[in-house]
Amino acid sequence: MVVKKSDGSNGVCVDFRKLNKVTIFDPEPMPQARDIFGELSGSQYFSKFDFCKGYWQVPMREEDKDLTTFVTHRGLFRFTVMPFGLVNAPATFSRIMRKVLDGLSDIHNYLDDVLKHTKGWNNHVVGLRHFLDCV
């Protein structure tokens, strides 16, 4: 089904409930907001990045693409990148972000948001450069 999003663009909504019921759950510890907030004490500079379309940067495995097939009045279509609504999508994206951010200090991700925080401006700029190089 195609729905209007709040920004006026169209979004595709696919009901993956049946697929999710037979999908093997892939656990990945999700960051806890309260743990992140506890580490922000003393920081004066903050930069937030929103990876709002981050899932769409994750390619589907060839053998899984057919599982995402959906029907429209124009025929059958399937996703080639990870769609929203799959039971393991948040964990998959969180795992990718954990690996991307590994080794960087004073930076945290929560779902599709990344927060860089530092006490000093010079350290902040240097840290942002490291983050952007990793991304």
Side-chain angles (χ1 to χ4, degrees):
M1 158 187 336
V2 177
V3 296
K4 282 281 186 203
K5 295 170 35 175
S6 60
D7 66 1
S9 64
N10 292 324
V12 176
C13 291
V14 178
D15 184 355
F16 287 119
R17 286 181 290 189
K18 287 182 181 179
L19 176 59
N20 286 337
K21 281 184 180 180
V22 297
T23 298
I24 297 170
F25 182 65
D26 180 20
E28 169 72 14
M30 302 294 280
Q32 297 293 313
R34 68 177 178 267
D35 296 335
I36 295 170
F37 291 141
E39 295 189 33
L40 303 180
S41 178
S43 293
Q44 295 182 344
Y45 298 94
F46 301 88
S47 294
K48 179 189 166 287
F49 299 88
D50 186 351
F51 286 74
C52 62
K53 306 251 186 320
Y55 286 23
W56 295 347
Q57 306 307 311
V58 181
M60 293 290 295
R61 294 185 317 183
E62 192 60 42
E63 61 268 26
D64 294 334
K65 290 178 183 178
D66 284 346
L67 298 173
T68 68
T69 301
F70 58 98
V71 180
T72 74
H73 67 284
R74 298 185 124 172
L76 298 174
F77 293 88
R78 67 184 187 159
F79 285 91
T80 59
V81 295
M82 187 170 62
F84 292 92
L86 296 178
V87 68
N88 288 325
T92 299
F93 190 71
S94 185
R95 181 178 295 113
I96 290 169
M97 291 307 299
R98 181 174 46 82
K99 290 177 181 178
V100 167
L101 301 177
D102 186 44
L104 299 178
S105 61
D106 301 322
I107 194 159
H108 307 281
N109 79 293
Y110 183 76
L111 300 175
D112 62 352
D113 292 318
V114 174
L115 179 67
K116 173 67 179 167
H117 62 98
T118 58
K119 295 177 182 177
W121 177 248
N122 290 338
N123 287 342
H124 197 73
V125 172
V126 170
L128 289 176
R129 283 189 181 137
H130 289 265
F131 165 67
L132 294 173
D133 285 343
C134 288
V135 172

